[in-house]
Amino acid sequence: MNSLFEQVGGAQFVNRTVSEFYQAIGRHLSAFEACDHQKQQSRQALFLNHALSLQPEPVRSSRASFLARGLNPNLFEALLEYLEARLLELGFSWQLSRQLVEAAGNLYGSCEQDLSIAC
């Protein structure tokens, strides 16, 4: 049986969804606000791919903690909302989309986020 991550299209789906999210919000950002969103976009895609893949502990937690340090909490929360809506729009069940979003959100919530390195 495929993991939830594989069921939705794996890394290709996550990367495309994160890119779509940043294209959507990019229209509403000033040049100053958009300063480092490419770095933020890349880091969020890496975190989601890692969070949703099947990684053994403690590799999963330590890598997630490293990646979470560069994430803007408000943008990450908005991305999770976008991800959930996108999954539903594509016809995935509410339960599947909720499980994926909760898995990523819970892992992010358990990480230390003291060092924000991107916008």
Side-chain angles (χ1 to χ4, degrees):
M1 179 174 197
N2 291 339
S3 70
L4 296 176
F5 182 60
E6 292 167 334
Q7 288 178 43
V8 298
Q12 184 178 8
F13 170 76
V14 167
N15 294 339
R16 186 176 59 244
T17 302
V18 172
S19 179
E20 290 169 358
F21 171 76
Y22 274 92
Q23 287 174 7
I25 68 167
R27 295 185 293 247
H28 306 287
L29 300 174
S30 69
F32 177 75
E33 292 172 316
C35 67
D36 214 5
H37 278 271
Q38 185 64 34
K39 188 183 296 181
Q40 187 68 200
Q41 177 181 338
S42 174
R43 199 126 177 136
Q44 285 188 343
L46 285 170
F47 181 86
L48 281 178
N49 280 306
H50 178 75
L52 300 176
S53 66
L54 300 175
Q55 294 285 325
E57 289 293 342
V59 172
R60 184 172 187 255
S61 295
S62 60
R63 177 78 174 143
S65 290
F66 170 75
L67 292 170
R69 287 184 175 179
L71 299 181
N72 176 304
N74 295 327
L75 280 175
F76 188 70
E77 184 178 324
L79 175 61
L80 290 181
E81 290 175 14
Y82 182 86
L83 174 64
E84 185 171 18
R86 186 72 177 120
L87 287 165
L88 293 171
E89 179 183 325
L90 292 171
F92 290 99
S93 72
W94 179 85
Q95 292 85 359
L96 176 86
S97 60
R98 195 73 219 136
Q99 277 184 287
L100 287 171
V101 168
E102 284 180 4
N106 289 342
L107 184 58
Y108 180 71
S110 69
C111 294
E112 294 178 27
Q113 302 153 16
D114 298 324
L115 304 172
S116 183
I117 61 171
C119 299

